[in-house]
Each structure stands twice: as structure tokens, then as C-alpha cells.
Amino acid sequence: MSELPVGVIGVGYLGQHHARLYSQMAGVRLVGVVDPVADRAEAAARATRCEIFPDIAGLAKEVKAVSIVVPTPLHHEVALQCLELGLDVLLEKPMTTTLEQADALIAAAERRQAVLQIGHLERFNGAVLAVEPFLTAPRFIESHRLGPFMERGTDVDVVLDLMIHDIDMVISLVKSPVEEIRAVGVPVLSSQVDIANARIEFANGCAANVTASRVSKDKMRKIRIFQSDAYISIDYQKQDAVVYRRVMDGQQPKIVFEPLRIVKDEPLKAELESFVRAVTQRIPPVVTGRDGREALRVALEVVRTMERSLSRLRGNA
């Protein structure tokens, strides 16, 4: 089988890791990278022994698929160009900045029969994969995604920067329409909201309490899931998880600890491997464009609700 020729558009903090992993992947040939910052492009090309292309059009002539890892405001423009050039696309989250832009990408992918995968990384976390057999009917979910302030990512607020990971995860777990959202948020070190909390209620009665902060002292990436028959706790950062299940002991229920076999690997590697499978086998990706759009839709509603709350607070000050 011939190697799949791929490229990476944008080789900043995260894009360089896309390039690194493609260059090490069996059945894949990293052809080249595109980045407007010459030093970044040169460093990535040197590290992965690939070419530097001056523009997307030039890269598109040599590859069949690309990772797009550019600033969020450029997602729509760059991804649409790639899709129209006939490429399969892995687009980092958040998918776009508006639903209209997301719809345009989905339409382009369907028209070109292209793979469009959105980079919601936690779907590929080893701990998440390990607990999947125990996830039945979540009733309450609580997640915390906290970290110190970094200039990177501040082109969007903390909801689109960080919380959207957990929004996507919650939606994929609950599998029920969102009915109500309540949210609060506060700008701290940037002009955008840096810490936010949202309560998301679903039609089936499940509720999720989601907190994201980029102004916290310590880093935390955790989600806890409560069901009628189980309590599940996942630490994304450590790729650890615990499951406590209710079982019947004769006529009496009791709680037992469920040992897990967790295969710890780099989630980004698993995500890229999944994308390559979707491209080579022509199957739907794990996280489709429509999945990315729904996570974006809920995230934008969180932002609108948060802004209304912040406006009321400022009005009462």
C-alpha cells in the first residue's frame, strides 16, 4: 500500500506536534508544511525532514489530506480553500467562529465527498476509551478544565478556547437535545472572558456543570459522571479513571470498584491515526463536521448567556 501524502498548515505550538506525529506514522508521508512565520516553518521542516511550501495551493498539489492548525478566526477561510481544492481536512477546534461558517464547511465537504474531522482531542484520551463500556445513562456530569494564563489562545474567550472540549464530550455522552443553559464568566487578565461556568440541562433530564479557567494556579483536566448504576471519574491529564458500580449481592445492592485496563498513549497521535483511517478507508471520522458544529452551537449559546449575565452585573455595579 502506498503512503498517504499529508501536510500541515500552521506549525505553531500545536501544529508542530501534528507535523512530528505524521512524520513518525507508518503508512503516512509528511510532504510539507505551510506557515507565514518563516522561522516556525523552517524549524518544523527541519525537525520532520519535509518541505516548506509558500502557500496552500502549492501544498495541495502534492498531498491528499491536511491538518489545519491556524488561529481560530482563520479556520473557515483556510478549511474552505482546502476542501475546494479536493483535500480531506482535519480542522482543529473550535470548528469556526460562527455557525454560518461551520455550515459552509459541512456543505463543501459533502459536495466534494471529503473527510472533515474536527479536532476534539479528548474523544481519543485513553481514560475515556477505557470507561466507554460503563457509560450508559449519565444523570449528572461535572467537569473542570483549569490552567495558568498563557497568551496563546486569547484570540477567543475561554469557552471557545478550553470549555468547548468538555462541551463536546458532554454532548457525546448524553446524546439528548440541550434544553437550557445558564452561564457566568469574568475577564481577568485579557479582554476576553478568562474564567467561566455553565450549567447545561438536557431534554432527558441530565444536567452538566462545566467550569473552565485559564487564570488558575494549577492545571486540572477532570470530568466526573454520575449514573444510577455507576460513578465514573476521569483525569484527562493523567489518563487515569476510576469506576464504582452498583451490583446486587443477593437481595442487597453494594458498590464495587471496577478495575480498568487503560492504554495510555498520546491522544493527538490517536486522533491523527483515526483521521488517516477515515481518509484511507473513506469512512466517517469519529468527530464529524456536524459534531463540531453542535459543540460550537452550544458553546456560542454559553457565550451569549454569559454575556447577558455579565451585562447585568455591570449594570448593577
Side-chain angles (χ1 to χ4, degrees), residues 220-259:
M220 178 188 292
R221 302 282 191 270
K222 292 184 178 181
I223 185 169
R224 295 183 292 167
I225 303 152
F226 300 85
Q227 303 176 163
S228 61
D229 64 344
Y231 160 69
I232 300 165
S233 178
I234 299 170
D235 187 321
Y236 295 120
Q237 191 174 339
K238 295 179 180 178
Q239 292 194 59
D240 284 337
V242 294
V243 176
Y244 292 94
R245 288 197 306 132
R246 186 193 66 184
V247 299
M248 296 304 295
D249 184 9
Q251 298 297 315
Q252 298 296 321
K254 70 175 184 178
I255 304 298
V256 298
F257 171 74
E258 190 74 42

Side-chain angles (χ1 to χ4, degrees), residues 82-95:
C82 290
L83 290 167
E84 295 294 1
L85 287 169
L87 301 178
D88 295 313
V89 167
L90 170 58
L91 177 61
E92 269 300 337
K93 63 80 201 169
M95 183 176 181

Side-chain angles (χ1 to χ4, degrees), residues 123-140:
R123 300 271 201 111
F124 302 91
N125 190 292
V128 172
L129 299 176
V131 305
E132 278 183 350
F134 304 98
L135 294 167
T136 55
R139 305 305 296 159
F140 177 67

Side-chain angles (χ1 to χ4, degrees), residues 16-298:
Q16 64 181 319
H17 293 297
H18 281 247
R20 170 179 60 84
L21 290 166
Y22 279 135
S23 73
Q24 299 168 355
M25 198 177 295
V28 173
R29 178 168 58 90
L30 177 65
V31 174
V33 298
V34 175
D35 196 292
V37 180
D39 290 347
R40 278 201 313 234
E42 289 168 5
R46 185 167 56 250
T48 58
R49 298 180 181 178
C50 72
E51 295 183 46
I52 300 171
F53 286 80
D55 53 41
I56 294 170
L59 177 66
K61 294 176 182 177
E62 305 297 330
V63 302
K64 292 184 177 179
V66 292
S67 280
I68 298 175
V69 201
V70 299
T72 301
L74 298 177
H75 280 193
H76 170 253
E77 174 188 346
V78 173
L80 187 61
Q81 181 182 358
C82 290
L83 290 167
E84 295 294 1
L85 287 169
L87 301 178
D88 295 313
V89 167
L90 170 58
L91 177 61
E92 269 300 337
K93 63 80 201 169
M95 183 176 181
T96 52
T97 57
T98 71
L99 294 181
E100 292 76 15
Q101 292 176 344
D103 288 336
L105 296 187
I106 292 169
E110 291 177 350
R111 186 170 62 252
R112 305 288 299 198
Q113 296 186 315
V115 172
L116 174 60
Q117 179 169 326
I118 309 305
H120 286 289
L121 191 65
E122 301 296 15
R123 300 271 201 111
F124 302 91
N125 190 292
V128 172
L129 299 176
V131 305
E132 278 183 350
F134 304 98
L135 294 167
T136 55
R139 305 305 296 159
F140 177 67
I141 301 173
E142 187 167 41
S143 73
H144 290 86
R145 185 170 297 267
L146 318 175
F149 184 77
M150 299 175 64
E151 288 292 339
R152 176 180 56 83
T154 55
D155 55 332
V156 293
D157 60 53
V158 73
V159 176
L160 293 180
D161 180 24
L162 296 180
M163 186 185 285
I164 196 166
H165 278 297
D166 300 297
I167 289 173
D168 171 72
M169 182 59 66
V170 166
I171 291 170
S172 71
L173 293 174
V174 179
K175 298 179 176 63
S176 179
V178 174
E179 276 204 338
E180 184 177 358
I181 294 173
R182 283 172 279 176
V184 292
V186 182
V188 179
L189 294 178
S190 75
S191 59
Q192 306 271 7
V193 167
D194 294 314
I195 184 168
N197 173 267
R199 180 178 173 87
I200 305 171
E201 298 182 1
F202 295 84
N204 67 359
C206 182
N209 188 45
V210 185
T211 301
S213 168
R214 55 190 182 193
V215 288
S216 298
K217 179 178 180 292
D218 299 314
K219 192 172 184 179
M220 178 188 292
R221 302 282 191 270
K222 292 184 178 181
I223 185 169
R224 295 183 292 167
I225 303 152
F226 300 85
Q227 303 176 163
S228 61
D229 64 344
Y231 160 69
I232 300 165
S233 178
I234 299 170
D235 187 321
Y236 295 120
Q237 191 174 339
K238 295 179 180 178
Q239 292 194 59
D240 284 337
V242 294
V243 176
Y244 292 94
R245 288 197 306 132
R246 186 193 66 184
V247 299
M248 296 304 295
D249 184 9
Q251 298 297 315
Q252 298 296 321
K254 70 175 184 178
I255 304 298
V256 298
F257 171 74
E258 190 74 42
L260 297 174
R261 180 178 179 272
I262 300 176
V263 179
K264 297 185 180 182
D265 201 353
E266 195 170 353
L268 182 58
K269 176 185 174 186
E271 180 182 62
L272 297 185
E273 289 172 343
S274 174
F275 174 59
V276 168
R277 280 194 299 274
V279 171
T280 56
Q281 299 176 22
R282 307 317 296 170
I283 58 176
V286 172
V287 186
T288 66
R290 295 191 182 279
D291 293 333
R293 184 198 189 278
E294 180 61 8
L296 177 65
R297 184 188 71 80
V298 174

